[in-house]
Amino acid sequence: MDAPHIEGMKVRAMIGSGNCGRVYLAEDDDGSLHAIKIFDGLTIQRALLTRMTTRLENGGWPNGLMPVTAADFDARPALRVMPFLADPDGDSWKPRSLQHRIDSFPGVQSWPLIRELANALAAMHARRVAHGNLKPGNLFFTESGELQIADWTLGNMPGIGHLDFTDALLYQPPEQLKDPAGYSEENGYRWDVFAFGVLSYRLLTGSFPRCHETFSLVAPPQGETRRDGIHADLPRIARNLENHTQITWPHEPATPLEAGLRSWIDRCLALDPLQRPASMLDVVAGFTAVEHTITLELERENLLDQRRLAERRAWRASFLAGAATAAAILLGCLWQLQTAQVKRERANRDKETQLLQTAADNATKLRDTAQKEAAQAKQALEYEREVALSRIEASRLIGDRLFTWAMEKGHRALPPLDGREERLKRLQRYFEDFLTRTSEIKDLEDERARAHLQLAEIALARGDVEAAPKRLTEAIQAWSVLPKDAEWQLRIGQNRLLLALLLQARSAPQTPTAFANARKALSDVPQTGIDTDRLAQLLAILDFHEAKLLASQGDDPKALEQLMRATQTLNRLAEQRPDSIIPRTQLAACYLSSATILEGMGNLGDAREAHLLATGEIIKLLKERPQDTQLRLDLAGCYGAMAEAAVLSGDITSAESLSAEAMKILLTLVREQPDHAEAVSRLAAQHGLRAGLMRDRGQSEDALKSFDEGIRLLEGIRAAKPTNANATYRLALLWWQKGRMLGFSDKRDEEIALIRQARELLETLETQPRPEGPPDEQLQRSSGYLLGDLGHTYQLAGKTEDAANAFNQAADLWQSLLKSRPQSEEYDESLKWCRQRAKDLN
């Protein structure tokens, strides 16, 4: 077969072939050597290979992986360029792979290589990539001896059209041999764990852990990468593995450290995938924990050796003291024989007193030494106890973190996972099964309470509005007899807040009660032993969302009060952490909501100030995320709202400047995303605002062109998506405004037609359900003013009956609005005006 042609490289020769294709030696313009692998189309899954290679490459290649210098998996044939890791061997080349060194194991390098392999696979799993094709022929070494893994997601993978026998099958677990499609369901991590266990066992013993007699006959010998003529009967290989449930080692471990590490390899070799570690990240963590435990054990032995040495010293001191006492008594007796009886007795008493005092002093010293050693021994035991408790607490913490990881994507310390809905169902089944199996075990009461709480959080994560309140109540009842620290109270408060937000999103009637429960739970959290900034942020979020509920119920003053409280809190958090984006995002949302409520209350000056503050926060966020579409859209909305406020206050210069800023942002967004309905809709609204400014300056022709351009944009959105409430509302406003402008030129019939069209659109919005778009009060307010203009236009056209009908309809709308806001002077004056105009026509 002809050698491939690759631009910038000179292909020298084919140096090997395998199950997936052929390998060529190539030289680039700098004289560097590369290995080019040309794939057979039926033996690879192009999309999977592309996706996993991209994940590994993003952020730089992890240590222990062979980098792909170039690749084209969509070409015919597909190819991949990698570093050339081989040494000259006469007229040929000898690859620096484990397959070409396999007979050197077991040896002194077995454990270092196993640890290096574990770290490399853990780095792959941290990038959400499972290898799935592990074998000695895919493990290479650099010139300095560092390990590099190659050929991931090849061989027995989902969607492969042709698979020949390869020794990678000898390292694969039964479930991969029977169903390679499981790779797409996140099972590949446990496949790698099993393959790592088989390869580690072989590096340590020279044998396969199971079916060695059969596997050794078909495994390629050192120096060869494949055996031809072997039929790959995958189900039979899987059955043979499943028939050998036990693993035995040919010799005992040399050290306690080796025994601990072997136990992790035994877990990796479990036939049941659920009994294996979930990924190589867990295996590396287990290896590290074993080493730490052995280190602690050695420190404990050293402490005990010191204690035994101190006891021997104390015994020698007691013996010497006794010997000294005996010698002193003997000398005293000799002295007494040479002196008078009285002197002998006095001297004897003095000597005895002195000896007793010395013995007492010695005994005191021995007692102090013994007490000191006992205290040291007690301290050592307390240290061991603290270590054990710390390990238990760390295990629980790891469990909580893994639970959080499994619950949601984007966890900062762990790689995200795919398949969220299915994963949540599996977690739910696991904890429900745990509660069933341990229902009679009293010692696991605290663990069952933890499981109840995790089931509640799973229901919240799934958005199950029926199960979530029930699960959360069960979790709180399960913890009722257990100690509750500040972290637990914060967690319950956060879950109650999540429940309230879930009910609010579903428009459930229990939403106000849920917000009240969440506020009480968060208010009861102690201020010590927790992240107080996190608590303050949660309370601010509660204030923000409850304010939206209050505003929808018409209680604008209280909603505004809560929004201002949330704004103050988020302002403080944003100042304390200027590099954090989340508080600033929430702060901008608070300003925007405050502006909307202030506009509804008629406080246009305050609304403009709130929009100005929101603009400042959004501009800060755009420095961190300059391409964020929603932030740019919000900034354009702020400029547009301030421009409208400036028009109402008569500040035409500011209105033109602010509108120009909004249009500049919106035009850029529409060029980048022509189908972005909200950006096009807001651009049309700005055309309408600028048309009004042109009309007031007497530029009637230009104003009509601007109105027509805005109407054209909105009619295009409505034609593509008739249910877009925002576009429909803005189209009605532009028809209305254009009609009024035509009326200034005495074109009454055209004015009436356009205003009636606008009224029909508003009526459509009032009668149809709208998940998004303007609220009912805003629609009724706009309709009230529109009907007033329509009545006035009918009156000028001499259509008295139609005019009276329009004024009466407007009066009905203003009366309805006045019932919802009895203190509104705007609604009251509008009602009186409409009634008076209708009365004047009779």
Side-chain angles (χ1 to χ4, degrees):
M1 183 174 288
D2 295 338
H5 173 74
I6 299 175
E7 185 177 353
M9 289 193 179
K10 179 182 178 182
V11 178
R12 291 171 50 173
M14 187 175 80
I15 57 175
S17 63
N19 180 50
C20 297
R22 305 169 306 284
V23 181
Y24 292 85
L25 172 62
E27 182 178 354
D28 61 17
D29 295 337
D30 297 332
S32 301
L33 297 180
H34 299 269
I36 301 176
K37 189 156 190 173
I38 306 297
F39 295 102
D40 292 337
L42 293 177
T43 63
I44 63 170
Q45 220 272 41
R46 296 173 185 267
L48 178 65
L49 197 55
T50 301
R51 186 167 67 254
M52 296 308 170
T53 302
T54 301
R55 285 185 184 177
L56 292 174
E57 184 178 9
N58 287 343
W61 290 96
N63 291 334
L65 265 69
M66 182 182 294
V68 176
T69 55
D72 189 351
F73 298 122
D74 294 325
R76 295 292 190 277
L79 60 87
R80 179 171 63 190
V81 182
M82 301 171 291
F84 184 63
L85 302 181
D87 298 317
D89 187 17
D91 295 334
S92 61
W93 295 88
K94 179 182 178 181
R96 289 197 296 270
S97 74
L98 179 59
Q99 182 60 36
H100 289 73
R101 305 181 183 184
I102 194 65
D103 288 348
S104 301
F105 297 91
V108 293
Q109 291 300 317
S110 293
W111 278 115
L113 178 57
I114 290 170
R115 293 305 305 274
E116 197 172 358
L117 175 60
N119 290 333
L121 289 172
M124 289 188 71
H125 289 189
R127 295 285 181 90
R128 298 182 295 127
V129 177
H131 192 287
N133 190 37
L134 203 63
K135 63 178 181 175
N138 291 340
L139 306 181
F140 291 84
F141 302 93
T142 64
E143 290 185 2
S144 59
E146 296 176 352
L147 176 68
Q148 287 198 342
I149 303 177
D151 288 353
W152 46 84
T153 61
L154 297 178
N156 191 19
M157 288 285 110
I160 299 302
H162 178 73
L163 178 67
D164 288 332
F165 176 79
T166 169
D167 60 319
L169 301 175
L170 306 179
Y171 297 87
Q172 293 176 1
E175 68 269 18
Q176 182 181 2
L177 295 169
K178 292 188 289 187
D179 182 17
Y183 184 93
S184 303
E185 301 172 1
E186 303 179 358
N187 296 332
Y189 301 134
R190 283 191 164 92
W191 294 356
D192 284 355
V193 169
F194 184 87
F196 167 77
V198 176
L199 191 53
S200 299
Y201 187 95
R202 192 176 180 195
L203 290 173
L204 292 169
T205 66
S207 304
F208 288 94
R210 295 182 176 92
C211 307
H212 173 69
E213 294 78 7
T214 304
F215 285 5
S216 61
L217 294 176
V218 296
Q222 176 171 301
E224 298 180 16
T225 57
R226 58 185 296 180
R227 280 186 185 271
D228 296 326
I230 299 175
H231 174 64
D233 187 351
L234 304 191
R236 183 177 179 182
I237 297 174
R239 286 195 302 271
N240 288 341
L241 288 172
E242 290 170 342
N243 290 333
H244 294 77
T245 57
Q246 299 299 321
I247 297 297
T248 59
W249 294 82
H251 52 77
E252 295 296 323
T255 63
L257 175 60
E258 183 177 357
L261 297 178
R262 273 195 194 180
S263 67
W264 275 93
I265 293 176
D266 287 339
R267 293 173 64 183
C268 294
L269 290 169
L271 292 175
D272 183 356
L274 295 179
Q275 293 181 4
R276 296 179 216 140
S279 73
M280 287 304 299
L281 293 166
D282 293 343
V283 176
V284 170
F287 280 5
T288 303
V290 169
E291 292 177 345
H292 183 62
T293 301
I294 296 302
T295 302
L296 292 176
E297 186 64 27
L298 290 175
E299 291 177 356
R300 178 177 177 277
E301 288 297 327
N302 288 336
L303 290 173
L304 291 176
D305 288 343
Q306 293 176 8
R307 178 179 178 182
R308 287 191 287 267
L309 180 60
E311 290 175 349
R312 287 197 295 271
R313 288 177 178 172
W315 181 84
R316 285 198 298 269
S318 300
F319 178 79
L320 292 175
T325 302
I329 293 174
L330 180 60
L331 291 174
C333 292
L334 294 174
W335 181 76
Q336 287 175 357
L337 292 173
Q338 298 176 1
T339 58
Q341 183 66 30
V342 176
K343 289 183 178 180
R344 284 200 305 271
E345 291 178 358
R346 184 181 299 168
N348 187 38
R349 285 195 297 272
D350 291 342
K351 288 288 184 180
E352 288 178 354
T353 302
Q354 184 177 0
L355 289 172
L356 289 173
Q357 186 62 45
T358 301
D361 291 343
N362 290 338
T364 301
K365 291 179 180 179
L366 290 173
R367 183 194 62 192
D368 292 343
T369 302
Q371 288 177 346
K372 182 178 180 181
E373 291 175 354
Q376 291 175 344
K378 182 178 179 182
Q379 184 178 5
L381 291 174
E382 286 293 328
Y383 173 75
E384 292 177 5
R385 179 176 176 274
E386 291 296 329
V387 168
L389 292 175
S390 298
R391 286 177 183 165
I392 294 173
E393 186 61 31
S395 175
R396 287 182 173 178
L397 180 60
I398 290 172
D400 284 342
R401 288 180 177 174
L402 289 176
F403 174 77
T404 304
W405 179 32
M407 286 280 289
E408 188 52 84
K409 298 182 179 181
H411 196 280
R412 289 175 292 179
L414 293 168
L417 297 174
D418 294 328
R420 180 175 186 270
E421 184 62 28
E422 182 61 28
R423 186 170 64 256
L424 292 176
K425 290 180 181 177
R426 291 181 181 178
L427 282 171
Q428 179 175 321
R429 288 197 297 269
Y430 170 79
F431 287 117
E432 288 174 344
D433 180 62
F434 173 79
L435 291 174
T436 302
R437 288 185 291 104
T438 62
S439 59
E440 303 299 327
I441 305 176
K442 187 171 180 60
D443 292 340
L444 292 179
E445 189 172 0
D446 56 342
E447 296 301 327
R448 284 198 298 276
R450 185 181 298 273
H452 277 294
L453 182 56
Q454 288 167 326
L455 279 172
E457 291 169 348
I458 290 170
L460 289 170
R462 293 184 63 188
D464 192 338
V465 74
E466 295 183 359
K470 179 182 176 183
R471 293 285 195 189
L472 189 55
T473 301
E474 291 173 351
I476 295 173
Q477 290 176 349
W479 278 91
S480 60
V481 297
L482 298 174
K484 306 171 188 63
D485 57 11
E487 284 291 341
W488 181 89
Q489 291 179 268
L490 179 61
R491 186 170 176 179
I492 290 296
Q494 177 175 309
N495 287 335
R496 283 201 177 278
L497 175 57
L498 289 174
L499 177 60
L501 297 181
L502 175 61
L503 294 172
Q504 185 182 39
R506 301 293 194 275
S507 301
Q510 309 96 314
T511 303
T513 303
F515 273 117
N517 292 337
R519 184 176 298 281
K520 184 178 186 308
L522 290 172
S523 301
D524 291 342
V525 176
Q527 298 293 316
T528 57
I530 61 160
D531 184 351
T532 54
D533 286 347
R534 174 61 178 160
L535 176 60
Q537 186 177 356
L538 290 174
L539 284 169
I541 292 171
L542 190 153
D543 283 337
F544 171 53
H545 287 279
E546 192 177 27
K548 294 169 68 176
L549 177 65
L550 293 171
S552 68
Q553 296 172 345
D555 193 352
D556 284 348
K558 187 173 182 181
L560 187 60
E561 178 187 350
Q562 290 201 181
L563 278 173
M564 298 308 295
R565 185 165 65 235
T567 301
Q568 291 173 356
T569 301
L570 292 170
N571 246 324
R572 176 177 61 80
L573 295 175
E575 291 298 325
Q576 291 176 353
R577 296 185 292 173
D579 58 335
S580 179
I581 293 176
I582 295 176
R584 291 202 177 278
T585 304
Q586 295 166 344
L587 182 59
C590 280
Y591 282 136
L592 291 174
S593 296
S594 300
T596 302
I597 293 176
L598 288 166
E599 286 176 348
M601 295 173 66
N603 299 335
L604 299 183
D606 292 339
R608 184 177 179 183
E609 183 67 23
H611 275 121
L612 188 62
L613 293 171
T615 301
E617 293 302 322
I618 295 171
I619 290 174
K620 292 177 185 177
L621 290 170
L622 278 171
K623 292 180 180 178
E624 300 288 338
R625 298 180 288 181
Q627 298 303 316
D628 191 308
T629 299
Q630 188 57 45
L631 284 178
R632 291 189 286 170
L633 200 58
D634 288 343
L635 182 58
C638 288
Y639 283 134
M642 288 190 290
E644 292 174 5
V647 168
L648 293 175
S649 63
D651 189 355
I652 304 303
T653 303
S654 295
E656 290 179 338
S657 173
L658 292 166
S659 179
E661 290 291 336
M663 288 196 74
K664 181 170 66 174
I665 297 171
L666 292 169
L667 285 170
T668 303
L669 280 173
V670 171
R671 279 196 299 271
E672 294 174 358
Q673 304 177 48
D675 297 331
H676 197 299
E678 185 61 23
V680 175
S681 177
R682 293 193 182 190
L683 179 60
Q686 288 306 307
H687 276 296
L689 187 145
R690 293 175 70 83
L693 296 175
M694 294 174 187
R695 178 196 63 204
D696 294 341
R697 288 201 299 266
Q699 300 171 330
S700 301
E701 243 179 79
D702 293 336
L704 280 174
K705 289 180 181 178
S706 192
F707 273 131
D708 289 339
E709 176 62 16
I711 290 171
R712 182 189 67 80
L713 292 172
L714 291 171
E715 286 179 338
I717 297 175
R718 190 160 178 261
K721 191 176 182 182
T723 59
N724 190 316
N726 284 321
T728 302
Y729 176 67
R730 287 179 175 138
L731 178 59
L733 295 184
L734 287 189
W735 279 345
W736 176 15
Q737 293 170 15
K738 182 182 177 182
R740 291 185 62 194
M741 184 175 176
L742 292 173
F744 295 152
S745 303
D746 293 328
K747 298 178 180 179
R748 297 297 174 197
D749 291 339
E750 294 181 42
E751 178 185 11
I752 291 172
L754 283 173
I755 296 179
R756 288 183 63 181
Q757 279 183 276
R759 173 56 186 157
E760 288 172 3
L761 279 188
L762 293 180
E763 284 182 321
T764 301
L765 290 175
E766 291 171 6
T767 56
Q768 292 180 351
R770 304 182 311 280
E772 297 178 355
D776 291 337
E777 184 176 352
Q778 183 177 346
L779 282 175
Q780 292 179 359
R781 182 171 174 267
S782 298
S783 294
Y785 283 121
L786 183 147
L787 286 169
D789 281 350
L790 182 59
H792 182 67
T793 303
Y794 276 135
Q795 187 177 6
L796 293 176
K799 299 180 179 182
T800 306
E801 186 176 348
D802 290 334
N805 185 38
F807 285 132
N808 286 326
Q809 289 182 39
D812 290 341
L813 284 174
W814 289 118
Q815 186 172 13
S816 175
L817 288 169
L818 190 60
K819 287 181 180 178
S820 63
R821 294 183 186 273
Q823 306 301 322
S824 175
E825 294 182 4
E826 176 192 6
Y827 296 168
D828 185 52
E829 291 296 328
S830 298
L831 175 61
K832 291 177 180 177
W833 184 86
C834 289
R835 284 177 173 173
Q836 184 62 44
R837 297 302 294 268
K839 183 178 179 182
D840 292 343
L841 292 173
N842 294 331

